[in-house]
Amino acid sequence: MFSSQLTSVKQHHDLWAVRDNTGERKIYENHVNKTTEDWLKVYGLEAQKLTLADFTREKERYKVDGDIVEGSNQNHKKLLNFGTKLMECIGNYHRRTEWLLTGSRKLFGLLRGQNVAILIDASDNNCSCGRLRTLQESLLKLIDEQIPTRDGLYVMPYGTYPRPQFRNLRSINHRSLEDTRQFIRQLHPLGSCNLLEALKLVLKKRKQFDSIVIILGGNPDQPPERISDFISQAVVGLELPLHVVAFDCIQDECCDMLQEIAEITKGRYHCYSSRHEEEIYMSTDMALLKTELDRAVEVLMSMKSLQAGLLSDTLEENINKLSSIVAATTDSTSNILKFDEECSTNQCSTKEWLKVYGIKARKLSIYQLLEPNSFLPTVTYVPILKKEIRAHVYDSMIKVKWPDGSERRVHIDPATFTDYTTSLQKSENLLRSRASWLNSGSMKTLGVLADKKVTIFIETSSEMAKSLKRLNQDLKLLFEEQLIHTQAFNIICIGSKVRAWTTKMVQTTEKALQECYRWITTQECHGKFNLLEGIKFAIELHLLDTSSIHLIACSKPDQPIEIILSYLEQRLLFQTLPLHCTYYDTTEETDSVVDNTGKISMADKVLCDLAHATAGRFHTYVKDQDTIEGDDIDLIRKEIKQTNEFRDQANYLLRCTLDNVNNKKVVNQQSAVNMSTISGNAKRVIPAKFKNVSSKFMQSNSTATIKKSTNKVKSQNQAVKGKPWKPAGPSDPAFQNYPAWFSGKNTKKAQLQPFYIGNQNEKKEIGYVYWLKKYGLSKLYLDFEKLIIKRKMKTASSKANQVQCTVSLTLTELRNYQTIIAKVFKRYLSRLNWLLTGSRRIFGIVTEKNVVVLLDASGSMESRFKDLQQALMMLIWEQIMNQKCFNFVQFSKDINSWKSQLTTANDNACISACDWISKLNAIGNTNILDALEYTFKMDRVDAIYIISDGMTDDPSDLILNKVQTWRSRKPVAVHTIAYCSKKRSASEFLRRLAHQCNGRYHEYNNNINTNLEIINQLTDDSYSINEDELLSNFASDDVKKLIRELLLAKEYHLQAATHIKLRTSDKKETTKAIRK
């Protein structure tokens, strides 16, 4: 009986293999034009009678009085046939899953129907940053693979307006397909995303189609609720299922809206993401397959329970093989972990990494290089001379100040220093590769797991609910990249209650990590963050054999950190248990409530203090942030900075040595080189302390030569009394006010003179105070008043002293000065034109990196609010884009914030801000005081820009006093923009507020013609300009200061021209007198 049973099992096993191959061909033939829902009607568990209820009925046949006994050979064949059918069915699911994940089916899903209409999102948002080319290639693949089997096709890209290829449905043939391919290759951005208008147009022609496909890549112009309501009303009484596709969509709101549309129309939803490939399993077809596969797994587990006494060994092997196939299939349809088998040398904390690859570890410190060839001054007593003798050291050796305060003579070997700078460059490259590694994968989001035995605490409070989906994806990367290289681990979720994956540390294996990750995906967020209870839970479970605890949280714990630290100190006694903290925040938008904002802003500070108090490391990750912050990356940045300083110091010493050799002169160096004062520009400019050192950058070689040249110049000036006065030399204090470049010589100082002459790289985005300090006439040594020498002289006719003014420039130098001041005037004028164009004419210059814009949306702004909205959009794209972190706060009766914190200005953020601004309305009072208080509580704010007409509800003195109190705690600059202000008192209040808060005042004047007329007056050759009348038209600080400097430059040009004319006439008269 046993032999016959075994033979029967083998025969059925061979039969299963044959059926598998034939079934594969059969399923492949039936894949075309069948959705998963229709496909499961034929190949699902119910259609094949392989459900759990069918297996239960089959199992009951072999029960006698509640005990399972062996039946006849025929019964074994029936049970074996059931198992082989189940194996074949699961194999079909696996093959269909792979088929759906290939080609255009992965990008857009499986299309149904014969007459298909395709709506394509061709908005600027979906076609920017290289997305257009990807969209075109994907659509061409869809046309080649799925469209040729259809009867008709209708293609309609939509942006601001729909742009269909043809007016009506077109039949499918070779020519029409080629026309459609060419049409898609010529696709270009069409403006905004007006999905509602496209839906209205296609639903008017719905009788022509039996399938409508909507492809959307971002949020449409209309609110999701409006689109959903329109579709629900349009399809009443109709059977028109929509196939909606979220094509590489970033916004969760867009995906939720498409899912709702699919449910309303009883259609299908498909999701494709190039960033997170696992999101495709949220699609309708994939979700149905996964549900059916889970049911098959449940039946399989029930079959395995019968292995003990009923099934033969061969059937058990088949079921085990089936279990492995099911596991692989289940993982492919869920978040399967793909582990990184190679362990990187970077897999340690930066502090430990620097002990091996740091500058000190590799002995690349500048003092370690100089130590072998450095000599201390030696003093020895000589008895025969009866005095102390100092050892002679060659003056060519450079004197360097050592870190211990001593001074040493150092010999510089050029070859050694060249090799040293090369080694420093390699070290810097290694440090930058470490920084890139820290800024990638799970290291960027969750930090570095450096220990071998790790316990991970995950916050699952209600605060983490908005970030839970993204956190699961980042935890997947953490498991694949870092946790696989540890020895033991455990996961504990902490909310109001504490839930642990296991009650002990588990050895790290791929199977254990896979099971743990599945458990994490089932966790939900609720309640508060009871960290103290989680620590107590871990310690009571004897988890003290862990090397460290890694905490991932987005809010501060319920208990103060003093209580947590006190408990750890009492419980651990002399043991050390570092608590590494990661502040994880991926929320895009929160309620604009002041209390909530203050609570969230304190979370990262509390976690940082907790990590450092327990000798742990702190890491922070904020969504869409360009740079990461944390203890690991900070150490790398400091090491890179130290490397650059050492390289600059080595280059400086090498240049000094080479200069000594080239000059062939030995100089007595009186002061030692202080290495700490050498900056990145040391190889070009020597600090003031080292001007006595011989170098080609110095103005003189030694103190002796300076004295000789000074005496020589003095004697020449005394001998020639008729010539104009000039400074005696570099030792003369007046030398600083005498520009040597007036003489026309190509000196070093002439090359460093104004940006207007040859150098076009002017830094424009600075305020008037810093601009005048850098580019003003006084800073550029162009102040004509300082070049005039006033002398008191007595005349014979009157006893009173008369003042005689003499210009300390020759005729040639005066002409050079006139040419230069004319060029400076033109550059000033070009800056004035720049200030009066674009968004700078309305709002002035945005100079800081982290700014918050307060927008007055009260009723007094209603008549000009639409123009202001357009101007704000221009401000975003012209001044804020790709340069700053920003936020908008609208105030009227209430306060409405665009984001709860500062956001990096990238494409998506700017688009979202413009969309938010376009939906604002001007109504209500002007509550500027609460808006300022709300903004002062934000973190990382450098400046506040207030756009208002100045009509406030609160008294101006109260607002000024409150702001002064807030600035005493947090010194934030406040700039004000008076937008079409009609009352002088309102403008004066905004001016006082800006000047009190170290800010700038700007006033928008919409009379652009008057501004242009005044600029034309400045360029006129006439010098009769009324300064008060001119400045009255420009109330802005930046423009007013620049116009004053323009008028001063014009006056200096006139004075120089007058002196040149006098000098020329005097010279002609002297020449005539000599000839006579």
Side-chain angles (χ1 to χ4, degrees), residues 846-853 883-887 902-904 939-945 972-973:
V846 179
T847 58
E848 293 81 5
K849 293 295 182 183
N850 302 317
V851 297
V852 176
V853 180
Q883 295 182 3
K884 309 182 187 300
C885 295
F886 71 108
N887 195 5
L902 293 178
T903 305
T904 304
D939 288 339
R940 302 186 298 116
V941 177
D942 297 334
I944 301 172
Y945 286 79
V972 177

Side-chain angles (χ1 to χ4, degrees), residues 11-29 31 39 43 81 83-96 98 321-322 325 329:
Q11 290 174 353
H12 277 77
H13 182 268
D14 296 336
L15 180 61
W16 167 80
V18 174
R19 290 184 60 189
D20 185 32
N21 293 331
T22 56
E24 182 178 0
R25 290 194 299 270
K26 186 177 179 180
I27 291 172
Y28 178 79
E29 294 172 357
H31 274 160
W39 185 85
Y43 301 103
N81 188 31
T84 54
K85 282 185 178 180
L86 183 62
M87 182 180 291
E88 179 185 352
C89 194
I90 294 177
N92 292 339
Y93 297 157
H94 180 62
R95 283 188 292 273
R96 180 170 178 85
E98 292 178 348
K321 185 187 297 185
L322 180 61
I325 294 175
T329 308

Side-chain angles (χ1 to χ4, degrees), residues 317-413:
E317 293 178 1
N318 291 339
I319 292 179
N320 291 332
K321 185 187 297 185
L322 180 61
S323 301
S324 61
I325 294 175
V326 170
T329 308
T330 305
D331 292 339
S332 65
T333 56
S334 61
N335 295 325
I336 182 174
L337 299 180
K338 301 178 182 179
F339 299 101
D340 185 7
E341 297 180 357
E342 296 183 2
C343 181
S344 174
T345 55
N346 291 320
Q347 196 67 41
C348 59
S349 64
T350 301
K351 186 176 181 181
E352 297 296 327
W353 187 86
L354 290 176
K355 291 180 180 179
V356 181
Y357 301 102
I359 295 177
K360 292 184 179 179
R362 303 180 69 182
K363 298 182 180 180
L364 292 178
S365 172
I366 186 68
Y367 297 105
Q368 290 174 326
L369 176 69
L370 299 176
E371 179 68 31
N373 296 324
S374 63
F375 304 92
L376 286 168
T378 305
V379 179
T380 306
Y381 180 80
V382 181
I384 192 171
L385 298 177
K386 297 182 180 180
K387 63 178 181 178
E388 293 182 346
I389 301 298
R390 179 180 293 271
H392 176 73
V393 180
Y394 288 103
D395 292 331
S396 60
M397 299 177 67
I398 297 178
K399 189 188 299 183
V400 178
K401 190 172 183 180
W402 226 247
D404 58 359
S406 62
E407 295 181 357
R408 301 187 185 186
R409 290 280 183 173
V410 177
H411 170 68
I412 305 298
D413 182 16

